[in-house]
Amino acid sequence: MSEAATLRELLAAHDVACDGCRYNLRGQTGGVCPECGREIRIERVRGVIEARQWRERRMPGDRLVMAGLVGSLLGLGYAAGAMGTLVRVMMSELASPMRLVLEVTLWPLVVAYPVLAWVYLTRTSWITARSGRARLWLALTAWLLAPADLVLVLLPLVLAAR
Ligand SMILES: [Zn+2]
């Protein structure tokens, strides 16, 4: 296939902005930008398309999904910390009401974050296809689960200390 034909094929399928005026060259069949007359270079067009595909393969394009992914990965740190605390609590001589509070509040963290992170990492397209509201709630859950849980753990302790 000639370079001109390859270029036409690439521009038929992709949005590529003109280097000179940012005009979208998609669908152009000539060798120059119809807006500013600048030459359309095939290496440049290829580079732009490849860079975009590289980005899209590596990170979700949606900001809410991205935010949720980051939150759930940070949450894995909380889950590991909660697991350690849980083990210490179970091995300790802590009195039973306090022990119950800690056990009940720490378990959800240990279980929920690995599940959330797993969903975000392996079911990214499923999440991306959810409605905006669902994606927002999922991202909020990923970020707020640990702080909310911390309040649940600390509140009884603070009340008991008074
Ligand atoms: Zn142009």
Side-chain angles (χ1 to χ4, degrees):
M1 201 189 296
S2 75
E3 288 229 318
T6 309
L7 181 62
R8 270 201 301 279
E9 200 160 87
L10 287 174
L11 289 177
H14 300 277
D15 290 316
V16 177
C18 166
D19 279 334
C21 67
R22 311 312 295 165
Y23 179 81
N24 187 353
L25 299 171
R26 187 179 190 124
Q28 290 305 314
T29 50
V32 295
C33 169
E35 280 295 299
C36 69
R38 197 185 179 106
E39 185 197 354
I40 304 171
R41 286 167 43 239
I42 188 163
E43 319 83 65
R44 174 80 186 133
V45 168
R46 257 201 201 108
V48 168
I49 294 170
E50 276 166 16
R52 186 184 304 142
Q53 286 171 342
W54 187 88
R55 257 197 332 270
E56 283 168 1
R57 271 201 306 276
R58 266 152 197 82
M59 50 183 71
D62 184 85
R63 275 165 208 267
L64 283 175
V65 177
M66 193 64 205
L69 172 65
V70 172
S72 68
L73 291 179
L74 289 176
L76 287 179
Y78 286 112
M83 189 73 213
T85 310
L86 203 57
V87 168
R88 278 200 298 280
V89 167
M90 288 164 108
M91 287 167 62
S92 72
E93 303 285 314
L94 215 55
S96 63
M98 204 65 83
R99 186 186 196 113
L100 197 67
V101 167
L102 284 171
E103 284 179 0
V104 166
T105 47
L106 287 173
W107 266 117
L109 276 192
V110 175
V111 177
Y113 271 119
V115 170
L116 256 180
W118 177 81
V119 169
Y120 267 109
L121 285 173
T122 65
R123 299 289 180 269
T124 317
S125 53
W126 180 82
I127 297 177
T128 309
R130 297 307 98 195
S131 71
R133 185 180 289 252
R135 279 179 284 129
L136 177 65
W137 275 110
L138 219 63
L140 281 176
T141 305
W143 278 94
L144 296 180
L145 200 60
D149 207 77
L150 208 63
V151 170
L152 275 181
V153 173
L154 290 180
L155 206 62
L157 294 181
V158 170
L159 291 178
R162 288 176 72 184

